[in-house]
Amino acid sequence: PSCNGTVATDPNVCNGRGVCAGPENCRCRVEGYAGIYCQQAVCLCVHGSCSSPTQCDCQPGWTGEACDQAICYGKNSMEQGVCGGVRSCIGPNQCNCTEGYTGEDCTVPKCYGIGADNTSAVCSGHGSCVNPNECSCNTGYNGANCQFSTCFETSGDSKEVCSRHGKCIAPNTCNCTLGYTGDKCQYASCFNLTATDPKVCNAKGTCTELDTCTCYEGSTGTSCNIFICHKINGSDTATV
């Protein structure tokens, strides 16, 4: 008999890997080969082709004996540190990032849902994301997400900021409530004059709170506008 045009007695019959038991009937005897003429190598190649027994030719982006390990940015899926964590490479250059990381190779940490490479938004735009949910704030900002400005060493979320009379809207920048002034909102105004005005409280007292004068000795009235003579209020016309 002959198999694929080669007589049974030819040593190359059945590709040299079997015997021609009958017309077009090869019985393969070399382990690792199969097919009608023993022409096909047998091996498990998940993402590749079998070139010889137990020898896979992998498709681009795959490696391993069975071509079952993806390659992500130069590291195979079994290597420590691939995609920022073991076994997170699920396809060629396709990373499944662990929680807290983003980026093509999962090496970019995220802070409160925003990647460290989004510099205009991460950490409220006032710091850098150094680890998952760990911000390093720029000078003048504080808070877990760098969301608070600092005014004169006091955090913007403190009740004491801006002398309790304003809001800290930027580093060392207070937005004072109506009736207060000064870089720290530390000066009240009394009857439309600031506490630093020499004419405040008619120059006879100090402006201690909004429209509140503390009069010097000898004066009284809401704006210290009344003299006291011999312990008698100058506005008392019946006794003065």
Side-chain angles (χ1 to χ4, degrees):
S2 65
C3 290
N4 198 26
T6 304
V7 296
T9 56
D10 192 317
N12 293 318
V13 72
C14 299
N15 287 290
R17 301 176 186 125
V19 295
C20 184
E24 310 303 332
N25 183 16
C26 285
R27 293 180 182 176
C28 302
R29 292 188 174 179
V30 176
E31 185 177 359
Y33 285 93
I36 188 173
Y37 301 122
C38 305
Q39 79 281 7
Q40 184 177 349
V42 177
C43 51
L44 177 62
C45 302
V46 179
H47 297 285
S49 58
C50 190
S51 57
S52 63
T54 68
Q55 180 64 49
C56 292
D57 288 338
C58 298
Q59 297 171 0
W62 295 92
T63 188
E65 290 185 359
C67 302
D68 58 348
Q69 298 175 24
I71 299 173
C72 283
Y73 305 98
K75 292 184 178 181
N76 73 54
S77 58
M78 301 299 291
E79 284 189 60
Q80 182 72 30
V82 65
C83 296
V86 178
R87 292 185 180 274
S88 53
C89 177
I90 58 176
N93 289 343
Q94 185 180 353
C95 291
N96 182 22
C97 300
T98 54
E99 186 176 358
Y101 287 91
T102 186
E104 288 185 345
D105 57 355
C106 299
T107 58
V108 179
K110 291 194 298 183
C111 283
Y112 306 98
I114 300 175
D117 52 351
N118 188 352
T119 55
S120 63
V122 73
C123 299
S124 305
H126 304 307
S128 55
C129 181
V130 294
N131 285 304
N133 289 346
E134 183 182 342
C135 290
S136 177
C137 299
N138 299 335
T139 301
Y141 292 92
N142 71 97
N145 198 24
C146 305
Q147 71 270 38
F148 301 121
S149 302
T150 301
C151 282
F152 308 100
E153 301 183 359
T154 302
S155 175
D157 64 332
S158 171
K159 292 181 179 179
E160 303 299 322
V161 74
C162 299
S163 307
R164 301 174 68 94
H165 301 304
K167 294 182 179 181
C168 182
I169 57 174
N172 291 341
T173 304
C174 289
N175 184 17
C176 301
T177 55
L178 185 65
Y180 288 88
T181 186
D183 56 355
K184 302 176 185 177
C185 304
Q186 70 270 42
Y187 301 121
S189 64
C190 286
F191 309 103
N192 298 320
L193 293 176
T194 65
T196 56
D197 192 313
K199 296 178 182 178
V200 73
C201 299
N202 286 285
K204 299 180 182 67
T206 57
C207 181
T208 53
E209 291 291 341
L210 180 62
D211 290 338
T212 302
C213 288
T214 300
C215 300
Y216 302 144
E217 186 177 358
S219 296
T220 188
T222 56
S223 60
C224 304
N225 55 326
I226 302 172
F227 290 104
I228 297 175
C229 295
H230 304 290
K231 300 183 180 180
I232 298 175
N233 190 322
S235 64
D236 188 351
T237 58
T239 58
V240 174

